[in-house]
């Protein structure tokens, strides 16, 4: 190993040890989940951006596997192996490699194989306290590694969901807007189409079939679709089941028959997603939008405000933080608070650390119900580079 690489490796190991010491000192047990994971778990939960960068392969037994692109899902699976009923509070920390394809080419701060040191907190019913605990611990760890100049970026997916729930929307549109939240260009295009009353573009026969299914029960709709496929000698393609095809046709038919989204509702959503400001200012602007729209964001907005108050009481300078309503990070399993620690004036490095709440993830990987969960991961190569640049 060249001398420079050896020195970097030693520095990375020393930094990781310091980070893990902070985590263990806060009561987090160190664990080491498997590097190779079932691919379907990740591909279903991590979202489009990370899914396209995940290394997936099939082993000799025909099982589809992947190199873990992050450690939250593997640590969640480890928690469920230990506590199948998911009824126990647990706090774990880790330091290990993750793997992602780099579309622009691998670099020292964006390698294909990179290391994450992080924490995951499971089963704590006091969500606000757990959120604050994780943010404070991530900040403490970054400072312990020598980085004192950084900024914080926050978002809150639960608050956005509360906005959608408070507005007059057909449930299928509400679900679509939730689904596309992580892809802003697609989201805004969809919102504009709904407001203009633009109909989905489909070929004639599909449109006729979708309209014919309108008002039918799911069972009856499946029978009609099966008869149509048989009559037209159209086989089921790939892994798409008859139930999936029918569900999509029923959804299409409902969209074709629906009235346009009220423009004032679309405007409220656009105004909300345009907010990016220090947390207190952002909360005030959200409250003004809610009041103007005649909706109540009550508990969700109050929880957001209380979290920031508690962070400030614990020494976080929120004047240097940003709350962006359209910020959700790249991983689509988040359900509440999300945050990132970013090195100031070092845009090429990107985020140093990030995390958030993901209460729905454990149910998708085997838990009997949703489980309160929140965590954070630090990209240790980026942290090392940022500390070195800061002198």
């Amino acid at each position: 190993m060249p001398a420079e690489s050896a020195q970097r490796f030693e520095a990375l190991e020393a930094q990781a040890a310091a980070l893990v010491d902070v985590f263990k000192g806060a009561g987090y047990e160190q664990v080491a989940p498997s590097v190779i994971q079932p691919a379907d778990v990740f591909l279903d939960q991590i979202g489009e951006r990370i899914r396209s960068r995940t290394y997936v392969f099939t082993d000799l037994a025909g099982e589809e596997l992947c190199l873990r692109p992050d450690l939250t899902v593997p640590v969640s699976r480890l928690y469920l192996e230990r506590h199948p009923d998911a009824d126990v509070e647990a706090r774990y920390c880790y330091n290990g490699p993750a793997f992602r394809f780099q579309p622009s080419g691998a670099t020292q701060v964006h390698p294909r194989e990179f290391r994450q040191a992080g924490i995951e907190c499971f089963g704590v019913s006091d969500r606000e306290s757990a959120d604050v605990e994780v943010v404070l611990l991530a900040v403490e760890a970054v400072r312990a590694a020598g980085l004192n100049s950084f900024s914080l970026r926050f978002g809150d997916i639960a608050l956005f969901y509360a906005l959608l729930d408070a507005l007059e929307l057909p449930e299928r549109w509400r679900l679509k807007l939730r689904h596309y939240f992580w892809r802003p260009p697609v989201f805004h295009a969809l919102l504009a189409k709904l407001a203009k009353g633009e109909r989905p573009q489909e070929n004639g026969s599909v449109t006729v079939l979708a309209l014919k299914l309108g008002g039918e029960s799911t069972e009856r709709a499946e029978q009609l679709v099966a008869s149509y496929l048989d009559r037209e000698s159209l086989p089921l393609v790939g892994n798409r089941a008859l139930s999936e095809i029918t569900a999509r046709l029923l959804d299409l038919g409902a969209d074709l028959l629906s009235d346009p989204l009220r423009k004032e509702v679309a405007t409220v959503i656009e105004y909300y997603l345009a907010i990016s400001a220090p947390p207190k200012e952002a909360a005030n602007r959200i409250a003004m939008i809610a009041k103007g729209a005649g909706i109540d964001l009550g508990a969700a907005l109050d929880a957001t405000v209380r979290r920031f108050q508690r962070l400030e009481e614990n020494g976080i300078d929120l004047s240097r933080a940003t709350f962006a309503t359209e910020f959700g990070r790249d991983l689509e399993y988040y359900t509440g608070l999300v945050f990132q620690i970013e090195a100031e004036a070092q845009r090429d490095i990107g985020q140093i650390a990030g995390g958030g709440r993901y209460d729905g993830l454990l149910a998708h990987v085997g838990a009997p119900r949703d489980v309160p969960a929140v965590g954070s991961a630090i990209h240790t190569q980026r942290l090392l580079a940022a500390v070195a640049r800061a002198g």
Side-chain angles (χ1 to χ4, degrees):
M1 181 183 294
E4 183 179 352
S5 297
Q7 290 175 354
R8 190 183 307 118
F9 176 79
E10 291 174 2
L12 197 61
E13 289 299 299
Q15 174 188 263
L19 296 173
V20 170
D21 282 346
V22 170
F23 300 149
K24 291 167 69 174
Y28 284 71
E29 176 191 352
Q30 187 171 4
V31 295
S34 299
V35 170
I36 296 176
Q37 295 282 322
D40 59 344
V41 173
F42 278 94
L43 301 183
D44 288 344
Q45 297 300 314
I46 59 178
E48 183 176 303
R49 293 183 184 180
I50 306 301
R51 184 186 303 121
S52 64
R53 297 169 55 196
T54 300
Y55 289 100
V56 179
F57 61 95
T58 303
D59 69 7
L60 294 177
E63 184 177 0
E64 191 174 40
L65 304 168
C66 71
L67 299 178
R68 61 188 187 196
D70 88 330
L71 276 84
T72 296
V73 174
V75 175
S76 298
R77 295 182 67 238
L78 185 149
Y79 167 75
L80 288 177
E81 288 173 6
R82 295 184 177 186
H83 310 290
D85 294 329
D87 55 354
V88 175
E89 288 188 13
R91 289 170 169 83
Y92 299 138
C93 66
Y94 55 81
N95 171 53
F99 308 82
R100 293 180 195 172
F101 173 71
Q102 302 296 344
S104 300
T107 67
Q108 185 173 319
V109 294
H110 296 278
R112 295 184 183 90
E113 178 182 343
F114 57 95
R115 301 192 74 80
Q116 286 185 342
I119 51 176
E120 310 295 343
C121 176
F122 301 112
V124 177
S125 58
D126 185 347
R127 289 167 170 80
E128 290 176 30
S129 294
D131 289 348
V132 171
E133 174 186 315
V134 166
V135 173
L136 291 174
L137 195 53
V139 169
E140 179 186 351
V142 166
R143 285 176 173 160
L147 186 67
N148 293 305
S149 180
F150 55 83
S151 59
L152 282 161
R153 180 179 299 273
F154 294 96
D156 192 335
I157 293 157
L159 185 56
F160 173 66
Y161 287 176
L163 175 79
L164 294 182
D165 289 342
L167 293 169
E168 293 184 12
L169 285 166
E171 182 62 19
R172 65 183 179 282
W173 288 355
R174 187 175 286 115
L175 293 174
K176 285 183 180 180
L177 292 171
R178 284 187 175 197
H179 176 72
Y180 289 113
F181 172 77
W182 282 271
R183 282 156 269 178
V186 178
F187 179 96
H188 291 290
L190 172 62
L191 188 62
K193 286 182 178 180
L194 294 177
K196 293 176 183 176
E198 294 181 8
R199 303 307 188 194
Q201 297 298 313
E202 295 285 353
N203 67 56
S205 60
V206 171
T207 299
V208 170
L209 179 59
L211 290 171
K212 186 177 180 180
L213 299 180
E216 298 286 357
S217 67
T218 301
E219 182 179 358
R220 175 58 179 160
E222 284 192 13
Q223 293 174 356
L224 291 172
V225 173
S227 296
Y228 174 83
L229 295 175
D230 183 58
R231 185 170 61 252
E232 299 295 327
S233 299
L234 296 173
L236 293 175
V237 178
N239 295 322
R240 294 179 61 189
L242 177 63
S243 59
E244 181 185 356
I245 295 172
T246 304
R248 294 185 66 174
L249 286 168
L250 285 170
D251 184 61
L252 172 61
D255 283 350
L256 290 168
L257 296 170
S258 64
D259 294 326
L261 177 67
R262 289 166 44 214
K263 289 185 179 179
E264 55 266 34
V265 172
T267 299
V268 169
I269 296 173
E270 290 286 8
Y271 280 175
Y272 173 85
L273 291 176
I275 295 173
S276 180
K280 289 182 181 178
E281 178 185 339
N284 289 335
R285 289 169 61 183
I286 292 168
M288 289 177 62
I289 289 173
K291 183 178 180 181
I295 60 176
D296 181 15
L297 296 181
L301 184 56
D302 290 345
T304 299
V305 171
R306 284 196 303 270
R307 266 198 310 259
F308 286 128
Q309 289 174 340
R310 294 174 66 172
L311 288 171
E312 201 165 38
E313 290 167 359
N314 281 277
I316 300 298
D317 182 5
L318 293 181
S319 67
R320 300 174 64 186
T322 300
F323 182 85
T325 49
E326 199 166 48
F327 175 60
R329 308 197 73 235
D330 286 343
L331 294 158
E332 296 183 17
Y333 49 62
Y334 288 121
T335 59
L337 169 80
V338 289
F339 71 95
Q340 282 185 180
I341 298 174
E342 301 169 352
E344 294 179 346
Q346 299 188 43
R347 292 186 178 277
D348 61 310
I349 289 181
Q351 54 123 342
I352 300 296
R357 175 158 292 281
Y358 51 95
D359 289 352
L361 176 61
L362 271 78
H364 286 288
V365 297
R369 62 190 170 281
D370 285 352
V371 179
V374 59
S376 176
I378 299 171
H379 292 259
T380 56
Q381 281 104 326
R382 297 181 194 174
L383 176 58
L384 189 66
V387 171
R389 290 187 190 181

